[in-house]
Amino acid sequence: MSELQEQEERLQFDRFDHDDAWELGSRLVGMARERNLSVTVDIRLGDQQLFHCALPGTTADNDDWIERKIRVVRRFGHSSYLVGQSYRDRGTTFEQQPHLDPARYAAHGGCFPIILRGTGPVGTVTVSGLPQLDDHRLVVEALGLFLAAKRAG
């Protein structure tokens, strides 16, 4: 949990706009293509979808997973993997909670909040198509590379 919380502290933006969504989404798609990964990538600012790309080998099911993961991040304000892990650490699962419909919410890795420093979560970046930890790691890696490039240049 501490590593997941540290990621959210470290991977914050000073600003985020449409151009950033395009650059980050393109970076994620490029990484997936280089690694021959079948994933769908989605980036939103508030309720607006700014970037969406489904690579070969994905299906409409990936879009459904993305929607369910986004609902978790919007409701809890943390990455979908962190939310799921918080339940696993307590010896239960997110899906066992009676107040949230698993057909609408998925606390599986792959959705990360776009956090503005000093403001909080303003959007989401989501990957679907890999095992949940791999989805999460791909998003975290891309965010780290993207933010490092922004700070450097």
Side-chain angles (χ1 to χ4, degrees), residues 17-91:
D17 62 18
H18 292 69
D19 291 333
D20 294 317
W22 175 259
E23 289 178 42
L24 176 58
S26 297
R27 178 182 295 270
L28 267 163
V29 169
M31 292 167 65
R33 286 188 186 277
E34 287 172 7
R35 299 170 190 183
N36 200 30
L37 303 175
S38 295
V39 297
T40 300
V41 176
D42 183 276
I43 299 177
R44 299 188 186 187
L45 187 57
D47 289 331
Q48 186 179 19
Q49 184 180 59
L50 301 182
F51 186 95
H52 190 88
C53 180
L55 294 176
T58 61
T59 69
D61 283 344
N62 296 104
D63 296 325
D64 181 60
W65 276 99
I66 284 170
E67 293 297 332
R68 293 167 54 219
K69 292 176 187 184
I70 288 171
R71 285 187 193 102
V72 167
V73 173
R74 286 184 175 169
R75 183 168 185 131
F76 292 92
H78 295 286
S79 76
S80 54
Y81 192 72
L82 185 150
V83 172
Q85 189 62 45
S86 71
Y87 284 91
R88 289 186 291 276
D89 286 353
R90 289 181 266 166

Side-chain angles (χ1 to χ4, degrees), residues 2 12 23 49 56 106 116 127 149:
S2 61
Q12 295 189 12
E23 289 178 42
Q49 184 180 59
L116 288 188
V127 168

